[in-house]
Amino acid sequence: MKFLLITLITHTPDPITGLTPTPAERFREVVDNAVLAEELGFDGYGVGERHERPFISSSPPVVLSNIAARTSTIELFTAVTTLSLLDPVRAFEDYSTLDNLSGGRLQLMIGKGNGAAQAKLFHVTEADQWERNREGYELFRQLWENDTVTWEGTYRPSLTEAEALPRPLQKQIRIWHGSATSRESVDLAAAFGDPLFSANVTNPIEPYAELIDYYRERWVHYGHDPAAALVGAGSAGYYATKNSQDAVNTYRPIYDATLARIESFGLPKVFPTLEDAIERSSLLLGSPQQVIDKVLRYHEKFGHEVMHLHADASGLTDAQHRDSLELFQSEIAPALRKEIPSRPISARVSAGVPA
């Protein structure tokens, strides 16, 4: 199994101290966590894209470029690139530049994005967001794989023998399709033979398992080898200590503060208590063996080979955050890698091309 750390770069008060970092401080924290992820042996680090409060992750290629300059081996993910909002040509230019700067470590995860405010900001509607995502993806893929492109669509001006520069370092790039509830995203991934990354954060396991089953059905429908399907899945949080009760006691005020924030946004409390979240959500909390057992239970439903943990401390002290990630790599990851064999997450490694 492969393991990523992912951040959406929320910009909110610390749930324990109540202090809100400046944007500059928050960005430094994100980059420092990426350096730590590489140091500890994580396979990838992802930065989300959002264009509304409480996030400041509006420019993933800029953040990832800074991370690329301070790291050398870890794969760099977008999580997700919202192609429904972006001009695919401009997105290609940004990410092709990043691919070159990072030595070919870029991994794209695309999706239509969530949030009414950012849709309004970019004049995207519920009626056209899926078609924008599909069209943007198809053009982006053509731009990546071809030196010149002739293309005509609905949502941007047509192209005739257009050359987009710089050319990427990776001739072929693996594009993951991030999805929480969308059959449209799943079908697009299956049609193009791309991997799927299930959000697996907000709800119980059942709707995510149903969506992954649908992905595998559509994968076969489009004529792909069933064994070639590749799935990743998220988690709603992570904190482990040697003693499970220590983890629960430390995390409880963090979870209570999270519930209060959810309530302040007028959102439903899907898991109203910490105990409920431990039982029914993808929150990974407790001893190393409890975390291992829970991931294996999810794997029985998902068949996933890649999973992500939250990159941010989110109320933990720096020492607690580091200790927990170190414990993951020393005791949890080795057991899961042994139980769940996985293929390379990079298309260039799969093709036998050196980094």
Side-chain angles (χ1 to χ4, degrees):
M1 193 169 221
K2 300 293 191 294
F3 304 100
L4 320 178
L5 294 184
I6 287 180
T7 178
L8 300 182
I9 320 186
T10 54
H11 189 222
T12 57
D14 182 281
I16 301 302
T17 67
L19 300 176
T20 302
T22 66
E25 290 170 337
R26 186 70 179 94
F27 285 127
R28 282 196 295 272
E29 179 185 26
V30 167
V31 175
D32 288 345
N33 281 336
V35 174
L36 176 62
E38 179 171 276
E39 175 189 333
L40 296 180
F42 283 88
D43 300 286
Y45 190 89
V47 173
E49 180 180 337
R50 299 290 189 278
H51 299 271
E52 61 185 346
R53 294 181 184 273
F55 309 99
I56 53 173
S57 51
S58 57
S59 187
V62 176
V63 179
L64 288 169
S65 290
N66 194 289
I67 291 170
R70 292 190 54 193
T71 58
S72 58
T73 60
I74 196 167
E75 297 290 312
L76 305 177
F77 280 73
T78 64
V80 299
T81 296
T82 52
L83 283 179
S84 63
L85 307 180
L86 306 177
D87 179 349
V89 175
R90 190 70 183 105
F92 165 80
E93 292 173 337
D94 285 343
Y95 285 112
S96 180
T97 300
L98 172 57
D99 191 49
N100 281 281
L101 288 171
S102 67
R105 289 184 282 142
L106 176 64
Q107 296 262 336
L108 275 172
M109 194 184 302
I110 69 159
K112 64 129 180 118
N114 293 313
Q118 65 181 19
K120 183 178 179 181
L121 186 66
F122 288 90
H123 295 276
V124 173
T125 69
E126 287 188 12
D128 66 22
Q129 60 185 352
W130 296 115
E131 185 62 19
R132 285 178 180 272
N133 184 62
R134 181 199 61 76
E135 182 178 288
Y137 164 76
E138 291 178 355
L139 176 54
F140 185 96
R141 173 71 83 178
Q142 287 191 44
L143 290 165
W144 196 278
E145 295 179 353
N146 300 282
D147 291 338
T148 60
V149 170
T150 297
W151 173 90
E152 185 172 349
T154 302
Y155 300 103
R156 76 165 323 278
S158 61
L159 301 173
T160 303
E161 291 298 307
E163 182 181 42
L165 299 172
R167 299 309 302 154
L169 184 59
Q170 299 179 85
K171 302 306 180 186
Q172 298 287 330
I173 188 171
R174 176 164 283 160
I175 299 181
W176 300 73
H177 294 246
S179 180
T181 59
S182 162
R183 287 198 165 204
E184 289 88 345
S185 290
V186 166
D187 190 78
L188 185 64
F192 280 86
D194 293 331
L196 176 72
F197 212 105
S198 170
N200 190 37
V201 170
T202 308
N203 297 302
I205 188 173
E206 289 79 14
Y208 301 114
E210 180 181 340
L211 207 62
I212 291 171
D213 287 344
Y214 180 70
Y215 167 69
R216 296 187 189 279
E217 291 172 10
R218 299 305 291 170
W219 181 273
V220 173
H221 168 81
Y222 287 112
H224 305 303
D225 177 2
L230 181 59
V231 174
S235 62
Y238 161 73
Y239 183 58
T241 57
K242 291 283 189 178
N243 182 297
S244 61
Q245 194 58 50
D246 290 339
V248 171
N249 291 341
T250 298
Y251 203 81
R252 187 176 299 281
I254 297 173
Y255 191 77
D256 289 344
T258 300
L259 288 178
R261 187 169 70 249
I262 288 172
E263 188 173 33
S264 72
F265 292 152
L267 300 174
K269 297 179 182 179
V270 180
F271 309 105
T273 67
L274 179 57
E275 286 70 23
D276 187 38
I278 294 171
E279 177 65 25
R280 296 194 303 122
S281 84
S282 61
L283 174 66
L284 302 174
L285 182 68
S287 68
Q289 190 59 53
Q290 287 174 317
V291 172
I292 292 167
D293 291 343
K294 189 167 190 178
V295 173
L296 291 177
R297 289 198 303 272
Y298 271 75
H299 178 72
E300 289 178 1
K301 297 290 188 181
F302 293 167
H304 59 311
E305 299 177 32
V306 184
M307 67 168 290
H308 88 62
L309 306 178
H310 286 231
D312 303 319
S314 301
L316 300 170
T317 66
D318 289 343
Q320 289 169 335
H321 184 225
R322 184 184 182 103
D323 287 349
S324 184
L325 293 178
E326 288 180 343
L327 187 60
F328 186 91
Q329 288 292 12
S330 64
E331 296 192 21
I332 298 170
L336 291 173
R337 287 191 176 107
K338 181 179 178 180
E339 291 290 330
I340 306 172
S342 56
R343 290 159 284 184
I345 54 176
S346 168
R348 74 178 185 281
V349 175
S350 298
V353 179

